Amino acid sequence: MSLLFEYPPKAAFGRVVPKNKIYEHGSPTTALKEYFVRQVDQIVWQYKLAPETINIKATAAVPEIQVFTIVLKDGELKPEVLRCIDQAIPFPILFELHFEDRIRPIAAYKRPSEADASKWVLSEYFSADWLPSNSPRQPLPVVFDLEVLYRHLLLPLLPHPARPDEYTQVLIERMESIRLIERELERCEQKLRKEKQFNRKVEIHAVLRELNHKLAQLASNVEE
């Protein structure tokens, strides 16, 4: 199955978004503006997936879905740049990064805040590897509302499949927990390589076993 989707022509928006418009709403620091300048060639609001464009009903959590294309200057992009754009646009966004003849889909799970419905909560970013820009695209799934569509658009970017009947927010939180454990594993493995004392090595090995057990549980398709 392709990691890219074919968006309907009726949903085409195709507007170039000036960086200063993002700055007005995203409030970036001077350092972040420098990343925009150094890394981003062009930002295009490519598609607008909404009831009037794809005939799928909205929900309170997902009133619309936007698809942004970002053309890069050198193939690198700080996640903070995407986060700034996400903070400036009050809808879920799917990004497609373009560099030379390659394309990379990437997105964070974006949901209304439970404390303040006018604000949005962002997860970490999930992405596929770089793909040839002429890679095949799959049609949008047949669904009844934009919230379910949003889930289907995110699923191919996640490192592990969803469990049966797993809510999207729970799924994303599980993916983030997996990343935290993977980072802790890396730190422990680095400590182990540097450690000279036998007793300390035994302790670190015990921690590694526990972390690997937790990782296996979280990565499993079935909740234990």
Side-chain angles (χ1 to χ4, degrees), residues 106-119:
I106 183 170
Y109 175 57
K110 191 173 181 180
R111 61 178 177 81
S113 168
E114 294 173 1
D116 184 350
S118 66
K119 296 182 180 179

Side-chain angles (χ1 to χ4, degrees), residues 124-135:
E124 293 190 25
Y125 282 87
F126 299 95
S127 69
D129 292 330
W130 284 100
L131 304 165
S133 56
N134 61 353
S135 295

Side-chain angles (χ1 to χ4, degrees), residues 37 113 126 129 152 166 171 188 203 213:
V37 172
S113 168
F126 299 95
D129 292 330
H152 280 279
E166 186 174 29
L171 167 63
C188 284
E203 292 173 4
H213 178 67

